[in-house]
Amino acid sequence: MKYHLITFGCQMNKSDSERIAARLQNIGYEKTTDIKQSDLIIVNMCSVRQSAVDRVYGLANQFLELKKKNVQFKVGLTGCLLNQDRKKMEKFFDFIFNIKDLNNLEKIILQQKIDFEKSPQDYLSLLPKINSKISAFVPIMTGCNNFCSYCVVPYTRGREFSRPEQEIIKEVKSLIKKGFLEIILLGQNVNSYHQNIKTLRHKNKAINFPKLLQMIDNFSENFWLTFLTSHPKDLSDELIKVMAQSKKIIKYLHLPVQSGDNEILKKMNRHYTVQDYKNLIKKIRKKIPGITISTDIIVGFPGETKKQFKNTARLLKKIKFDQVYIAQYSPRAGTKAALIKDDVLKEEKHQREKTLNKILEKTALKNNKKLIGQTLEILVKNCKNNQYYGQTKNFKNVKINLEKSNKAELFFPQPKIGQFVKAKIIKATPWGLEGIIN
Ligand code: SF4
């Protein structure tokens, strides 16, 4: 029996899909990338944006066709799923399950009665089937207690749950032993790891996120360590200090600001002001020079005036981000923001996104140009049509120009992908760098 997985959404969903793949292979399924060959499809969906929900509806006809051709064919749904979406989607799927019930997947597929004997969070202890050979996601927590007014995560994933550190350490050690060179710790808000101590197995001796990072940083092997995502209100001085002193933690921080206007931030329930955010960035850049900083912005939040949007544009110019992930606001049923009229026109949201992208293009280029002439350590991650691509330790993409490299032979005969090399940066664009080996 063959399975095919379709994943939407963030890194956390991608990481969950690696666990779904492992579970399916444990119970005898074989992976296929060809949807037409599959006997089982599992869609791991995301309700965070309407566009992802619409794409799941778009697949429904394809599933009906597959059912007609293969009587054994089944299709299941999991992931970040709002109740109202679940009800509407029931008719397209043979089964819908909560990712926390992954250990019961075999029974769920067979539509047998389930005895929920395992802890619902135990699915995280299942070893994943990792897609990459270089980078591995390790979830350290799931869920969120923050209830930002636009976000469905606290409703779809539930409240925060932190994995015991022993389990995380064991997983990281085994990944490093297998040769993974980049470990990415995941959580909706990694900074609140163990803040609400709800681990099932050890309630008394819990450590916080900076201490967890330190423990992993102390491993003797050569690898890079990073994490996603941080909430500005919870990013502590202790974490900045650990990052600044670490040899393995890469110089990169994704710190979603969402808006550059205090009134909008309040409506978003973000619990910081624009000045708090600016102060935080100043402190981080002072302690960790050369750090790459990216952020998330929502344009067209209900009631966002032109003046309030200009404050966001001003913040982007001031901070000079290296990357900005911009989302046009769309109401998600069940959230507080959905109760406010979505009054910014689609065309205006589009225009605001365009304006921010133009600012980003300039700031990112300016930041990248500063790296020209520097020789940086690069992890080679990819090769397409004989062209190698890598990433610097401050999270910049680098195209490796072997034709111009004086010492290209250092790169060959092996290893190539998964190799650390030193490259001199010779060119910069807003979206990446070009380097030579010499
Ligand atoms: S911190 Fe806010 S935006 Fe992030 S997952 Fe939690 S509720 Fe959603």
Side-chain angles (χ1 to χ4, degrees):
M1 299 282 272
K2 293 193 171 145
Y3 77 90
H4 180 79
L5 262 172
I6 301 173
T7 309
F8 296 99
C10 65
Q11 274 84 349
M12 198 72 191
N13 270 20
K14 285 178 193 152
S15 167
D16 282 347
S17 280
E18 292 179 342
R19 281 176 160 76
I20 297 170
R23 186 76 192 115
L24 287 170
Q25 291 183 31
N26 288 349
I27 58 176
Y29 280 87
E30 214 181 291
K31 182 181 170 175
T32 176
T33 48
D34 183 356
I35 196 165
K36 291 184 194 134
Q37 296 291 317
S38 55
D39 302 290
L40 173 70
I41 291 178
I42 295 199
V43 179
N44 187 3
M45 80 164 279
C46 164
S47 290
V48 168
R49 293 193 192 166
Q50 187 58 39
S51 54
V53 180
D54 294 342
R55 281 166 76 194
V56 176
Y57 283 123
L59 288 166
N61 281 339
Q62 216 172 338
F63 298 152
L64 283 175
E65 285 305 309
L66 290 169
K67 264 180 202 266
K68 278 185 209 159
K69 287 185 189 144
N70 178 357
V71 282
Q72 295 196 84
F73 177 80
K74 280 188 180 176
V75 56
L77 179 68
T78 189
C80 286
L81 197 56
L82 278 169
N83 258 342
Q84 48 268 53
D85 288 331
R86 166 191 280 264
K87 281 192 188 120
K88 284 185 213 155
M89 284 181 179
E90 262 167 6
K91 56 179 179 283
F92 304 121
F93 291 88
D94 296 295
F95 57 91
I96 297 181
F97 69 103
N98 188 326
I99 188 69
K100 292 173 187 171
D101 297 326
L102 188 57
N103 284 310
N104 289 306
L105 188 56
E106 192 171 11
K107 288 180 180 173
I108 292 168
I109 294 168
L110 297 171
Q111 281 150 328
Q112 290 176 353
K113 195 175 168 294
I114 300 164
D115 43 352
F116 293 94
E117 72 280 357
K118 289 226 172 203
S119 141
Q121 304 293 353
D122 269 356
Y123 89 96
L124 287 173
S125 59
L126 194 90
L127 277 183
K129 195 89 202 152
I130 295 173
N131 290 324
S132 160
K133 286 189 167 59
I134 299 166
S135 311
F137 294 128
V138 178
I140 62 164
M141 62 181 304
T142 178
C144 186
N145 296 351
N146 284 320
F147 289 92
C148 300
S149 64
Y150 51 84
C151 181
V152 292
V153 169
Y155 308 100
T156 57
R157 284 197 174 262
R159 299 301 102 81
E160 282 172 9
F161 171 85
S162 297
R163 284 176 82 187
E165 68 259 22
Q166 293 92 335
E167 199 176 287
I168 298 166
I169 297 288
K170 198 171 153 205
E171 188 171 326
V172 172
K173 273 192 177 157
S174 104
L175 291 165
I176 292 166
K177 218 170 162 189
K178 283 181 190 154
F180 285 92
L181 294 169
E182 186 179 50
I183 303 295
I184 306 156
L185 305 181
L186 288 183
Q188 261 77 34
N189 180 16
V190 287
N191 298 315
S192 60
Y193 175 74
H194 273 170
Q195 291 303 303
N196 303 287
I197 300 164
K198 280 192 192 149
T199 52
L200 297 173
R201 275 158 271 175
H202 68 138
K203 292 187 179 160
N204 303 324
K205 281 198 326 194
I207 58 165
N208 66 8
F209 182 58
K211 297 229 165 46
L212 177 72
L213 277 178
Q214 242 171 350
M215 281 171 82
I216 300 173
D217 193 51
N218 284 338
F219 294 174
S220 58
E221 294 86 349
N222 190 22
F223 64 96
W224 288 357
L225 178 61
T226 185
F227 54 86
L228 286 169
T229 291
S230 298
H231 194 305
K233 77 175 168 57
D234 297 320
L235 198 137
S236 65
D237 289 353
E238 188 186 2
L239 176 63
I240 299 172
K241 196 171 164 200
V242 168
M243 285 182 80
Q245 290 175 350
S246 161
K247 288 200 176 71
K248 297 195 172 76
I249 303 171
I250 68 167
K251 285 181 171 190
Y252 168 62
L253 199 55
H254 180 65
L255 202 56
V257 65
Q258 306 297 6
S259 169
D261 182 84
N262 283 336
E263 245 179 84
I264 295 290
L265 285 174
K266 205 167 179 193
K267 279 192 188 174
M268 287 178 164
N269 197 29
R270 292 291 288 177
H271 297 280
Y272 52 82
T273 64
V274 176
Q275 194 54 50
D276 294 336
Y277 189 87
K278 283 188 198 162
N279 293 345
L280 185 58
I281 297 286
K282 200 171 164 192
K283 193 157 50 174
I284 293 165
R285 283 185 168 149
K286 193 172 167 208
K287 300 273 180 201
I288 315 168
I291 189 165
T292 293
I293 296 178
S294 63
T295 198
D296 293 334
I297 298 275
I298 297 173
V299 290
F301 187 81
E304 186 188 63
T305 61
K306 284 202 160 87
K307 197 172 158 212
Q308 287 170 327
F309 169 70
K310 274 188 184 161
N311 287 336
T312 300
R314 198 171 297 130
L315 182 74
L316 254 68
K317 284 180 192 160
K318 170 91 189 151
I319 302 279
K320 299 183 180 62
F321 290 104
D322 296 277
Q323 181 58 277
V324 182
Y325 302 95
I326 306 163
Q328 295 178 25
Y329 173 80
S330 66
R332 312 307 301 128
T335 60
K336 266 198 162 173
L339 302 172
I340 320 170
K341 194 173 172 215
D342 179 20
D343 56 355
V344 182
L345 296 177
K346 203 165 174 27
E347 185 46 43
E348 179 63 25
K349 286 177 188 166
H350 185 68
Q351 203 47 49
R352 290 180 189 184
E353 180 177 351
K354 245 171 109 177
T355 305
L356 296 189
N357 266 322
K358 275 191 190 153
I359 299 170
L360 168 68
E361 211 171 313
K362 282 187 192 153
T363 60
L365 179 63
K366 205 170 170 194
N367 292 346
N368 286 351
K369 274 187 171 171
K370 287 183 196 156
L371 299 171
I372 293 179
Q374 291 189 26
T375 297
L376 304 172
E377 190 178 26
I378 288 163
L379 174 56
V380 184
K381 285 189 161 179
N382 202 358
C383 177
K384 265 188 214 156
N385 306 325
N386 273 337
Q387 171 61 61
Y388 288 88
Y389 299 89
Q391 204 165 54
T392 65
K393 211 175 175 181
N394 61 345
F395 206 67
K396 301 275 183 184
N397 293 323
V398 185
K399 180 176 162 185
I400 300 166
N401 188 329
L402 288 174
E403 275 172 26
K404 286 189 185 164
S405 295
N406 298 330
K407 292 190 182 163
E409 71 277 6
L410 289 180
F411 200 63
F412 293 104
Q414 52 135 353
K416 299 163 198 164
I417 291 173
Q419 179 185 10
F420 288 108
V421 292
K422 291 240 158 83
K424 187 176 172 190
I425 304 305
I426 55 162
K427 202 172 157 187
T429 70
W431 320 121
L433 307 167
E434 191 174 312
I436 53 169
I437 298 167
N438 66 352

